[in-house]
Coordinates of all heavy atoms in Angstrom, one line a residue:
M1 N -65.8 -15.3 -20.1 CA -65.5 -14.6 -18.8 C -66.1 -15.4 -17.7 O -65.5 -15.6 -16.6 CB -66.1 -13.2 -18.9 CG -66.0 -12.4 -17.6 SD -64.3 -12.1 -17.3 CE -64.4 -11.1 -15.8
I2 N -67.3 -16.0 -17.9 CA -68.0 -16.8 -16.8 C -67.1 -18.0 -16.5 O -67.0 -18.3 -15.3 CB -69.4 -17.2 -17.3 CG1 -70.3 -16.0 -17.5 CG2 -70.0 -18.1 -16.2 CD1 -70.5 -15.1 -16.2
A3 N -66.6 -18.6 -17.5 CA -65.7 -19.8 -17.2 C -64.5 -19.4 -16.4 O -64.1 -20.1 -15.6 CB -65.3 -20.4 -18.6
F4 N -63.9 -18.2 -16.7 CA -62.8 -17.8 -15.9 C -63.1 -17.5 -14.5 O -62.3 -17.9 -13.6 CB -62.2 -16.5 -16.6 CG -61.0 -16.0 -15.8 CD1 -59.8 -16.7 -15.9 CD2 -61.1 -14.9 -15.1 CE1 -58.7 -16.2 -15.2 CE2 -60.0 -14.4 -14.3 CZ -58.8 -15.1 -14.4
V5 N -64.3 -16.9 -14.2 CA -64.7 -16.6 -12.8 C -64.9 -17.9 -12.0 O -64.7 -17.9 -10.8 CB -66.0 -15.8 -12.9 CG1 -66.5 -15.6 -11.4 CG2 -65.7 -14.4 -13.5
K6 N -65.2 -19.0 -12.7 CA -65.4 -20.2 -12.0 C -64.1 -21.0 -11.7 O -64.2 -22.1 -11.1 CB -66.4 -21.2 -12.8 CG -67.8 -20.6 -12.8 CD -68.7 -21.5 -13.6 CE -70.1 -21.0 -13.7 NZ -71.0 -21.9 -14.4
T7 N -63.0 -20.6 -12.1 CA -61.8 -21.3 -11.9 C -61.2 -21.1 -10.5 O -61.5 -20.2 -9.8 CB -60.7 -20.8 -12.9 OG1 -60.4 -19.4 -12.6 CG2 -61.1 -21.0 -14.4
T8 N -60.5 -22.1 -10.1 CA -59.9 -22.0 -8.7 C -58.9 -20.9 -8.6 O -58.7 -20.3 -7.5 CB -59.3 -23.4 -8.3 OG1 -58.3 -23.7 -9.3 CG2 -60.3 -24.5 -8.2
H9 N -58.2 -20.6 -9.7 CA -57.2 -19.5 -9.7 C -57.9 -18.2 -9.4 O -57.4 -17.4 -8.5 CB -56.5 -19.4 -11.0 CG -55.5 -18.3 -11.1 ND1 -54.3 -18.3 -10.4 CD2 -55.6 -17.1 -11.8 CE1 -53.7 -17.2 -10.7 NE2 -54.4 -16.5 -11.5
Y10 N -59.0 -17.9 -10.1 CA -59.7 -16.7 -9.8 C -60.3 -16.7 -8.4 O -60.2 -15.7 -7.7 CB -60.8 -16.5 -10.8 CG -61.6 -15.2 -10.7 CD1 -61.1 -14.0 -11.2 CD2 -62.8 -15.2 -10.0 CE1 -61.8 -12.9 -11.1 CE2 -63.5 -14.0 -9.8 CZ -63.0 -12.9 -10.4 OH -63.7 -11.7 -10.2
Y11 N -60.9 -17.8 -8.0 CA -61.5 -17.9 -6.7 C -60.5 -17.6 -5.6 O -60.7 -16.8 -4.7 CB -62.1 -19.3 -6.5 CG -63.0 -19.4 -5.3 CD1 -64.3 -19.1 -5.3 CD2 -62.4 -19.9 -4.1 CE1 -65.1 -19.2 -4.2 CE2 -63.2 -20.0 -2.9 CZ -64.5 -19.6 -3.0 OH -65.3 -19.7 -1.9
S12 N -59.3 -18.2 -5.7 CA -58.3 -18.0 -4.7 C -57.7 -16.6 -4.7 O -57.5 -16.0 -3.6 CB -57.2 -19.1 -4.8 OG -56.5 -18.8 -6.0
R13 N -57.6 -16.0 -5.8 CA -57.0 -14.7 -5.9 C -57.9 -13.6 -5.5 O -57.6 -12.6 -4.9 CB -56.5 -14.4 -7.3 CG -55.2 -15.1 -7.6 CD -54.6 -14.5 -8.8 NE -54.4 -13.1 -8.6 CZ -53.6 -12.3 -9.3 NH1 -52.8 -12.9 -10.2 NH2 -53.5 -11.0 -9.1
V14 N -59.2 -13.7 -5.9 CA -60.2 -12.7 -5.6 C -61.0 -12.9 -4.3 O -61.0 -12.0 -3.5 CB -61.1 -12.5 -6.8 CG1 -62.1 -11.4 -6.5 CG2 -60.2 -12.1 -8.0
I15 N -61.6 -14.0 -4.2 CA -62.4 -14.3 -3.1 C -61.7 -14.6 -1.8 O -61.9 -14.0 -0.8 CB -63.5 -15.4 -3.5 CG1 -64.4 -14.8 -4.6 CG2 -64.4 -15.7 -2.2 CD1 -65.4 -15.8 -5.1
D16 N -60.8 -15.6 -1.9 CA -60.1 -16.0 -0.7 C -59.2 -14.9 -0.1 O -59.1 -14.6 1.1 CB -59.2 -17.2 -0.9 CG -60.1 -18.5 -0.9 OD1 -61.2 -18.5 -0.5 OD2 -59.5 -19.5 -1.4
D17 N -58.6 -14.2 -1.0 CA -57.7 -13.1 -0.6 C -58.4 -11.9 0.0 O -57.9 -11.1 0.7 CB -56.8 -12.6 -1.7 CG -55.8 -13.7 -2.1 OD1 -55.7 -14.7 -1.4 OD2 -55.2 -13.6 -3.2
N18 N -59.7 -11.7 -0.4 CA -60.4 -10.5 0.0 C -61.6 -10.8 1.0 O -62.4 -10.0 1.3 CB -61.0 -9.8 -1.2 CG -59.9 -9.3 -2.1 OD1 -59.1 -8.6 -1.7 ND2 -60.0 -9.6 -3.4
T19 N -61.6 -12.0 1.5 CA -62.6 -12.4 2.5 C -62.2 -11.9 3.9 O -61.0 -12.0 4.2 CB -62.8 -13.9 2.6 OG1 -63.2 -14.3 1.3 CG2 -63.9 -14.3 3.6
L20 N -63.0 -11.3 4.6 CA -62.7 -10.8 5.9 C -62.4 -12.0 6.9 O -63.0 -13.0 6.8 CB -63.9 -10.0 6.5 CG -64.2 -8.7 5.7 CD1 -65.5 -8.0 6.3 CD2 -63.1 -7.7 5.8
I21 N -61.5 -11.8 7.7 CA -61.1 -12.8 8.7 C -62.3 -13.0 9.7 O -62.8 -12.0 10.2 CB -59.8 -12.4 9.4 CG1 -58.6 -12.3 8.4 CG2 -59.5 -13.4 10.5 CD1 -57.4 -11.8 9.0
G22 N -62.6 -14.3 9.9 CA -63.7 -14.6 10.9 C -65.0 -14.7 10.2 O -66.0 -15.1 10.8
S23 N -65.1 -14.5 8.9 CA -66.4 -14.6 8.2 C -66.6 -16.1 7.9 O -65.8 -16.7 7.3 CB -66.4 -13.8 6.9 OG -67.5 -14.0 6.2
A24 N -67.8 -16.6 8.2 CA -68.1 -18.0 8.0 C -68.5 -18.2 6.5 O -68.3 -19.2 5.9 CB -69.2 -18.4 8.9
Q25 N -69.1 -17.2 5.9 CA -69.6 -17.3 4.5 C -68.8 -16.4 3.7 O -68.7 -15.2 3.9 CB -71.1 -16.9 4.5 CG -71.6 -17.1 3.1 CD -73.2 -16.9 3.1 OE1 -73.7 -16.5 4.1 NE2 -73.8 -17.2 2.0
K26 N -68.2 -16.9 2.6 CA -67.4 -16.1 1.7 C -68.3 -15.4 0.8 O -69.3 -15.8 0.3 CB -66.5 -17.0 0.9 CG -65.5 -17.8 1.8 CD -64.6 -18.6 1.0 CE -63.7 -19.3 2.0 NZ -62.4 -19.4 1.6
A27 N -67.9 -14.1 0.6 CA -68.7 -13.2 -0.3 C -67.8 -12.3 -1.1 O -66.7 -12.0 -0.6 CB -69.7 -12.4 0.5
L28 N -68.2 -11.9 -2.2 CA -67.4 -11.0 -3.0 C -68.2 -9.7 -3.2 O -69.3 -9.8 -3.9 CB -67.0 -11.6 -4.4 CG -66.2 -10.8 -5.3 CD1 -64.8 -10.5 -4.6 CD2 -66.0 -11.5 -6.6
H29 N -67.7 -8.6 -2.7 CA -68.4 -7.4 -2.8 C -68.2 -6.7 -4.2 O -67.1 -7.0 -4.8 CB -68.1 -6.5 -1.7 CG -68.4 -7.0 -0.4 ND1 -69.7 -7.1 0.1 CD2 -67.6 -7.6 0.6 CE1 -69.7 -7.7 1.3 NE2 -68.4 -8.0 1.6
E30 N -69.1 -5.9 -4.7 CA -69.0 -5.3 -6.0 C -67.7 -4.6 -6.2 O -67.1 -4.6 -7.2 CB -70.2 -4.4 -6.2 CG -70.2 -3.8 -7.6 CD -71.4 -2.8 -7.8 OE1 -72.2 -2.8 -6.9 OE2 -71.5 -2.2 -8.8
K31 N -67.4 -3.8 -5.2 CA -66.1 -3.0 -5.3 C -64.9 -3.8 -5.5 O -64.1 -3.5 -6.3 CB -66.0 -2.1 -4.0 CG -64.8 -1.2 -4.0 CD -64.8 -0.3 -2.8 CE -63.6 0.6 -2.8 NZ -63.4 1.3 -1.6
L32 N -64.8 -4.9 -4.8 CA -63.7 -5.8 -4.9 C -63.7 -6.5 -6.3 O -62.6 -6.7 -6.9 CB -63.7 -6.9 -3.8 CG -63.4 -6.4 -2.4 CD1 -63.6 -7.5 -1.4 CD2 -62.0 -5.9 -2.3
W33 N -64.9 -6.9 -6.8 CA -65.0 -7.6 -8.0 C -64.6 -6.6 -9.2 O -63.9 -7.0 -10.1 CB -66.4 -8.1 -8.2 CG -66.5 -8.9 -9.4 CD1 -66.1 -10.2 -9.6 CD2 -67.1 -8.6 -10.7 NE1 -66.4 -10.6 -10.9 CE2 -67.0 -9.6 -11.6 CE3 -67.7 -7.4 -11.2 CZ2 -67.4 -9.6 -12.9 CZ3 -68.1 -7.4 -12.5 CH2 -68.0 -8.5 -13.3
L34 N -65.1 -5.4 -9.1 CA -64.7 -4.4 -10.1 C -63.3 -4.0 -10.2 O -62.7 -3.7 -11.2 CB -65.6 -3.1 -10.0 CG -67.1 -3.3 -10.3 CD1 -67.8 -2.1 -9.9 CD2 -67.3 -3.7 -11.7
N35 N -62.6 -4.1 -9.1 CA -61.2 -3.8 -9.0 C -60.3 -5.0 -9.2 O -59.1 -4.9 -9.2 CB -60.8 -3.2 -7.7 CG -61.4 -1.8 -7.5 OD1 -61.6 -1.1 -8.5 ND2 -61.8 -1.4 -6.3
S36 N -60.9 -6.2 -9.4 CA -60.1 -7.4 -9.5 C -59.4 -7.5 -10.9 O -59.9 -6.9 -11.9 CB -60.9 -8.7 -9.3 OG -61.9 -8.8 -10.3
E37 N -58.3 -8.1 -10.9 CA -57.5 -8.2 -12.2 C -57.9 -9.5 -12.9 O -57.9 -10.6 -12.3 CB -56.0 -8.3 -11.8 CG -55.1 -8.3 -12.9 CD -53.6 -8.4 -12.5 OE1 -53.3 -7.5 -11.6 OE2 -52.9 -9.2 -13.0
V38 N -58.2 -9.3 -14.2 CA -58.5 -10.5 -15.0 C -57.4 -10.7 -16.0 O -57.0 -9.8 -16.8 CB -59.8 -10.2 -15.8 CG1 -60.1 -11.3 -16.8 CG2 -61.0 -10.0 -14.9
L39 N -56.8 -11.9 -16.0 CA -55.7 -12.3 -16.8 C -56.2 -12.9 -18.1 O -56.9 -13.9 -18.0 CB -54.7 -13.2 -16.1 CG -54.2 -12.6 -14.8 CD1 -53.4 -13.7 -14.0 CD2 -53.4 -11.4 -15.0
L40 N -55.9 -12.3 -19.2 CA -56.3 -12.9 -20.5 C -55.1 -13.1 -21.4 O -54.2 -12.2 -21.3 CB -57.3 -12.0 -21.2 CG -58.6 -11.8 -20.5 CD1 -59.5 -10.8 -21.3 CD2 -59.4 -13.1 -20.4
P41 N -55.0 -14.1 -22.2 CA -53.9 -14.2 -23.1 C -53.9 -13.1 -24.2 O -54.9 -12.5 -24.5 CB -54.1 -15.6 -23.8 CG -55.5 -15.9 -23.6 CD -56.0 -15.2 -22.4
K42 N -52.7 -12.9 -24.8 CA -52.6 -11.9 -25.8 C -53.4 -12.3 -27.0 O -53.7 -13.4 -27.2 CB -51.1 -11.7 -26.2 CG -50.3 -11.1 -25.1 CD -48.8 -11.0 -25.6 CE -48.0 -10.4 -24.5 NZ -46.6 -10.3 -24.8
Y43 N -53.7 -11.3 -27.9 CA -54.6 -11.6 -29.0 C -54.0 -12.6 -29.9 O -54.7 -13.5 -30.4 CB -54.8 -10.3 -29.8 CG -55.9 -10.4 -30.9 CD1 -57.2 -10.5 -30.6 CD2 -55.5 -10.5 -32.2 CE1 -58.2 -10.6 -31.5 CE2 -56.5 -10.6 -33.2 CZ -57.8 -10.7 -32.8 OH -58.7 -10.9 -33.8
S44 N -52.7 -12.6 -30.2 CA -52.0 -13.6 -31.0 C -52.1 -15.0 -30.4 O -52.4 -16.0 -31.1 CB -50.6 -13.2 -31.3 OG -49.9 -13.2 -30.0
E45 N -52.0 -15.1 -29.1 CA -52.1 -16.4 -28.4 C -53.6 -16.9 -28.5 O -53.8 -18.1 -28.6 CB -51.7 -16.3 -27.0 CG -51.5 -17.6 -26.3 CD -51.0 -17.4 -24.9 OE1 -50.6 -16.3 -24.5 OE2 -50.9 -18.5 -24.2
Q46 N -54.5 -16.0 -28.4 CA -55.9 -16.3 -28.5 C -56.2 -17.0 -29.9 O -56.9 -17.9 -30.0 CB -56.9 -15.1 -28.3 CG -56.9 -14.6 -26.9 CD -57.8 -13.4 -26.7 OE1 -58.6 -13.1 -27.5 NE2 -57.6 -12.7 -25.6
G47 N -55.6 -16.4 -30.9 CA -55.8 -16.9 -32.3 C -55.2 -18.3 -32.4 O -55.8 -19.2 -33.0
K48 N -54.0 -18.5 -31.8 CA -53.4 -19.9 -31.8 C -54.3 -20.9 -31.1 O -54.4 -22.0 -31.5 CB -52.0 -19.8 -31.2 CG -51.0 -19.1 -32.1 CD -49.7 -19.0 -31.4 CE -48.7 -18.1 -32.3 NZ -47.4 -18.0 -31.6
I49 N -54.9 -20.5 -29.9 CA -55.7 -21.3 -29.2 C -56.9 -21.7 -30.0 O -57.4 -22.8 -30.0 CB -56.1 -20.7 -27.8 CG1 -54.9 -20.6 -26.9 CG2 -57.2 -21.5 -27.1 CD1 -55.1 -19.8 -25.7
G50 N -57.5 -20.7 -30.7 CA -58.7 -20.9 -31.5 C -58.3 -21.9 -32.6 O -59.1 -22.8 -33.0
A51 N -57.2 -21.7 -33.3 CA -56.8 -22.6 -34.3 C -56.6 -24.0 -33.8 O -56.9 -25.0 -34.5 CB -55.4 -22.1 -35.0
L52 N -56.0 -24.2 -32.6 CA -55.9 -25.5 -32.1 C -57.3 -26.2 -31.9 O -57.5 -27.3 -32.2 CB -55.2 -25.4 -30.7 CG -55.2 -26.7 -29.9 CD1 -54.2 -27.7 -30.6 CD2 -54.7 -26.4 -28.5
F53 N -58.2 -25.4 -31.4 CA -59.6 -26.0 -31.2 C -60.3 -26.3 -32.5 O -61.0 -27.3 -32.6 CB -60.4 -25.1 -30.3 CG -60.1 -25.2 -28.8 CD1 -59.6 -24.1 -28.1 CD2 -60.3 -26.4 -28.1 CE1 -59.3 -24.2 -26.8 CE2 -60.1 -26.5 -26.8 CZ -59.6 -25.4 -26.1
R54 N -60.0 -25.5 -33.5 CA -60.6 -25.8 -34.8 C -60.0 -27.1 -35.4 O -60.7 -27.9 -35.9 CB -60.4 -24.6 -35.8 CG -61.4 -23.5 -35.6 CD -61.3 -22.5 -36.7 NE -60.0 -21.8 -36.8 CZ -59.7 -20.7 -36.0 NH1 -60.6 -20.3 -35.1 NH2 -58.5 -20.1 -36.1
S55 N -58.7 -27.3 -35.2 CA -58.1 -28.5 -35.8 C -58.5 -29.7 -35.0 O -58.7 -30.8 -35.5 CB -56.5 -28.4 -35.7 OG -56.1 -28.3 -34.4
L56 N -58.7 -29.5 -33.7 CA -59.3 -30.6 -32.9 C -60.7 -31.0 -33.3 O -61.0 -32.2 -33.3 CB -59.2 -30.3 -31.4 CG -57.9 -30.3 -30.7 CD1 -58.0 -29.8 -29.3 CD2 -57.3 -31.7 -30.7
E57 N -61.5 -30.0 -33.6 CA -62.9 -30.2 -34.1 C -62.8 -31.0 -35.4 O -63.6 -32.0 -35.5 CB -63.6 -28.9 -34.3 CG -64.3 -28.4 -33.1 CD -65.1 -27.2 -33.4 OE1 -65.6 -27.0 -34.5 OE2 -65.3 -26.3 -32.5
C58 N -61.9 -30.6 -36.3 CA -61.8 -31.4 -37.5 C -61.4 -32.8 -37.3 O -62.0 -33.7 -37.9 CB -60.8 -30.7 -38.5 SG -61.4 -29.1 -39.1
L59 N -60.5 -33.0 -36.4 CA -60.0 -34.3 -36.1 C -61.1 -35.2 -35.5 O -61.2 -36.4 -35.9 CB -58.8 -34.2 -35.2 CG -58.0 -35.5 -34.9 CD1 -57.4 -36.0 -36.2 CD2 -56.9 -35.2 -33.9
I60 N -61.8 -34.6 -34.6 CA -62.9 -35.4 -34.0 C -64.0 -35.7 -35.0 O -64.5 -36.8 -35.0 CB -63.5 -34.5 -32.8 CG1 -62.6 -34.5 -31.7 CG2 -64.9 -35.1 -32.4 CD1 -63.0 -33.5 -30.6
T61 N -64.3 -34.8 -35.9 CA -65.3 -35.1 -37.0 C -64.8 -36.2 -37.9 O -65.6 -37.1 -38.2 CB -65.5 -33.8 -37.8 OG1 -65.9 -32.8 -37.0 CG2 -66.5 -34.0 -38.9
L62 N -63.5 -36.2 -38.2 CA -63.0 -37.3 -39.1 C -63.1 -38.6 -38.4 O -63.4 -39.6 -39.0 CB -61.5 -37.0 -39.5 CG -61.3 -35.8 -40.5 CD1 -59.8 -35.5 -40.6 CD2 -62.0 -36.1 -41.8
H63 N -62.8 -38.6 -37.1 CA -62.8 -39.9 -36.4 C -64.3 -40.4 -36.2 O -64.5 -41.6 -36.2 CB -62.1 -39.8 -35.0 CG -60.6 -39.8 -35.1 ND1 -59.9 -41.0 -35.4 CD2 -59.7 -38.9 -35.0 CE1 -58.6 -40.8 -35.4 NE2 -58.5 -39.5 -35.2
Q64 N -65.2 -39.4 -36.0 CA -66.6 -39.8 -35.9 C -67.1 -40.4 -37.3 O -67.8 -41.4 -37.3 CB -67.5 -38.6 -35.6 CG -67.4 -38.2 -34.1 CD -68.1 -37.0 -33.8 OE1 -68.4 -36.1 -34.7 NE2 -68.4 -36.8 -32.5
R65 N -66.7 -39.8 -38.4 CA -67.0 -40.4 -39.7 C -66.5 -41.8 -39.9 O -67.1 -42.7 -40.3 CB -66.6 -39.5 -40.8 CG -67.3 -38.2 -40.9 CD -66.8 -37.4 -42.1 NE -67.4 -36.1 -42.0 CZ -66.9 -35.0 -42.6 NH1 -65.8 -35.1 -43.3 NH2 -67.5 -33.8 -42.5
K66 N -65.2 -42.0 -39.5 CA -64.5 -43.3 -39.6 C -65.3 -44.3 -38.7 O -65.5 -45.4 -39.1 CB -63.1 -43.1 -39.1 CG -62.3 -44.4 -39.3 CD -60.8 -44.2 -38.9 CE -60.0 -45.5 -39.0 NZ -58.6 -45.2 -38.6
L67 N -65.7 -43.9 -37.5 CA -66.4 -44.8 -36.7 C -67.7 -45.2 -37.3 O -68.1 -46.4 -37.2 CB -66.6 -44.1 -35.3 CG -67.5 -44.9 -34.3 CD1 -66.7 -46.2 -33.9 CD2 -67.8 -44.0 -33.0
E68 N -68.4 -44.3 -37.8 CA -69.7 -44.6 -38.5 C -69.5 -45.6 -39.6 O -70.3 -46.6 -39.8 CB -70.4 -43.3 -39.0 CG -71.0 -42.5 -37.9 CD -72.1 -43.3 -37.1 OE1 -72.9 -44.0 -37.7 OE2 -72.0 -43.2 -35.8
K69 N -68.5 -45.4 -40.4 CA -68.2 -46.3 -41.6 C -67.9 -47.7 -41.0 O -68.3 -48.7 -41.6 CB -67.0 -45.8 -42.4 CG -67.4 -44.6 -43.3 CD -66.2 -44.1 -44.1 CE -66.6 -42.9 -44.9 NZ -65.5 -42.4 -45.7
L70 N -67.1 -47.8 -39.9 CA -66.7 -49.1 -39.4 C -67.9 -49.8 -38.8 O -68.1 -51.0 -38.9 CB -65.6 -48.9 -38.3 CG -64.2 -48.6 -38.8 CD1 -63.3 -48.2 -37.6 CD2 -63.7 -49.7 -39.6
K71 N -68.9 -49.0 -38.2 CA -70.1 -49.6 -37.7 C -70.9 -50.2 -38.9 O -71.5 -51.2 -38.7 CB -70.9 -48.5 -36.9 CG -70.4 -48.3 -35.6 CD -71.3 -47.3 -34.9 CE -70.8 -46.9 -33.5 NZ -71.6 -45.9 -32.8
N72 N -71.0 -49.4 -40.0 CA -71.7 -49.9 -41.2 C -71.0 -51.2 -41.7 O -71.8 -52.1 -42.1 CB -71.8 -48.9 -42.3 CG -72.6 -47.7 -41.8 OD1 -73.5 -47.8 -41.0 ND2 -72.4 -46.5 -42.4
V73 N -69.7 -51.2 -41.8 CA -69.0 -52.4 -42.3 C -69.3 -53.6 -41.3 O -69.6 -54.7 -41.8 CB -67.5 -52.1 -42.4 CG1 -66.8 -53.4 -42.6 CG2 -67.2 -51.2 -43.5
K74 N -69.3 -53.3 -40.0 CA -69.5 -54.4 -39.0 C -70.9 -55.0 -39.2 O -71.1 -56.2 -39.2 CB -69.4 -53.8 -37.6 CG -69.7 -54.8 -36.5 CD -69.6 -54.2 -35.2 CE -70.1 -55.1 -34.1 NZ -70.1 -54.5 -32.8
S75 N -71.9 -54.1 -39.3 CA -73.3 -54.6 -39.5 C -73.5 -55.3 -40.8 O -74.2 -56.4 -40.9 CB -74.3 -53.4 -39.4 OG -74.1 -52.5 -40.4
A76 N -72.8 -54.9 -41.9 CA -72.9 -55.6 -43.1 C -72.2 -57.0 -43.1 O -72.8 -58.0 -43.6 CB -72.2 -54.8 -44.2
L77 N -71.1 -57.1 -42.4 CA -70.4 -58.4 -42.2 C -71.2 -59.3 -41.3 O -71.3 -60.5 -41.6 CB -69.0 -58.2 -41.7 CG -68.0 -57.5 -42.6 CD1 -66.7 -57.2 -41.9 CD2 -67.7 -58.4 -43.8
L78 N -71.9 -58.8 -40.3 CA -72.7 -59.6 -39.5 C -73.9 -60.1 -40.2 O -74.4 -61.2 -40.0 CB -73.1 -58.8 -38.2 CG -72.1 -58.6 -37.1 CD1 -72.5 -57.7 -36.0 CD2 -71.6 -60.0 -36.5
E79 N -74.5 -59.3 -41.1 CA -75.6 -59.7 -41.9 C -75.2 -60.8 -42.8 O -75.9 -61.8 -43.0 CB -76.2 -58.6 -42.7 CG -77.0 -57.6 -41.9 CD -77.6 -56.5 -42.8 OE1 -77.8 -56.7 -44.0 OE2 -78.0 -55.5 -42.2
K80 N -74.0 -60.8 -43.4 CA -73.5 -61.8 -44.3 C -73.3 -63.1 -43.5 O -73.5 -64.2 -44.0 CB -72.2 -61.4 -45.0 CG -72.5 -60.4 -46.1 CD -71.2 -60.1 -46.8 CE -71.4 -59.2 -48.0 NZ -70.2 -58.9 -48.8
M81 N -72.8 -63.0 -42.3 CA -72.5 -64.2 -41.5 C -73.7 -64.8 -41.0 O -73.9 -66.1 -41.0 CB -71.6 -63.8 -40.3 CG -70.2 -63.5 -40.6 SD -69.2 -62.9 -39.2 CE -69.3 -64.2 -38.1
F82 N -74.7 -64.1 -40.5 CA -75.9 -64.6 -39.9 C -77.1 -64.2 -40.7 O -77.9 -63.3 -40.4 CB -76.0 -64.1 -38.5 CG -74.9 -64.4 -37.6 CD1 -74.0 -63.5 -37.2 CD2 -74.6 -65.8 -37.2 CE1 -72.9 -63.7 -36.5 CE2 -73.5 -66.1 -36.4 CZ -72.7 -65.1 -36.0
V83 N -77.3 -64.8 -41.9 CA -78.4 -64.4 -42.8 C -79.7 -64.8 -42.2 O -80.0 -65.7 -41.5 CB -78.2 -65.1 -44.1 CG1 -79.4 -64.8 -45.1 CG2 -76.9 -64.7 -44.8

């Protein structure tokens, strides 16, 4: 929820649209905040988004392991070249 509140979409819809004209400092009053609309994806879409992030995590982990192996091979080859 905190991440959503920090988005420009939320800021423009709730704060900019509800700021009094002529006010130099933007503020969001409790009543406006409690009545604001929060858009969230459907539960099935949330599951798909979660699955996407899990697969990305696995892919990143695999690439990190591959990188570590390549670093080990590189250091071993350098040791053989420069004894």
Side-chain angles (χ1 to χ4, degrees):
M1 179 67 178
I2 296 298
F4 178 73
V5 172
K6 291 182 180 181
T7 62
T8 55
H9 176 72
Y10 181 83
Y11 189 87
S12 66
R13 284 194 54 158
V14 176
I15 295 178
D16 283 345
D17 292 349
N18 294 312
T19 302
L20 296 174
I21 297 173
S23 175
Q25 186 173 8
K26 297 184 183 218
L28 180 61
H29 300 285
E30 180 182 357
K31 183 178 179 182
L32 292 173
W33 187 76
L34 291 174
N35 291 331
S36 65
E37 183 178 310
V38 176
L39 303 174
L40 297 174
K42 294 180 181 178
Y43 189 74
S44 61
E45 189 175 355
Q46 290 178 20
K48 290 177 183 178
I49 292 169
L52 171 70
F53 282 115
R54 279 191 295 279
S55 67
L56 286 175
E57 273 186 30
C58 289
L59 189 60
I60 290 169
T61 302
L62 290 174
H63 282 287
Q64 285 175 336
R65 288 180 190 160
K66 183 178 178 181
L67 177 65
E68 286 301 315
K69 287 180 182 179
L70 287 173
K71 284 181 181 180
N72 291 338
V73 168
K74 177 185 173 183
S75 65
L77 291 174
L78 285 173
E79 282 182 25
K80 285 184 178 183
M81 288 175 59
F82 305 106
V83 178

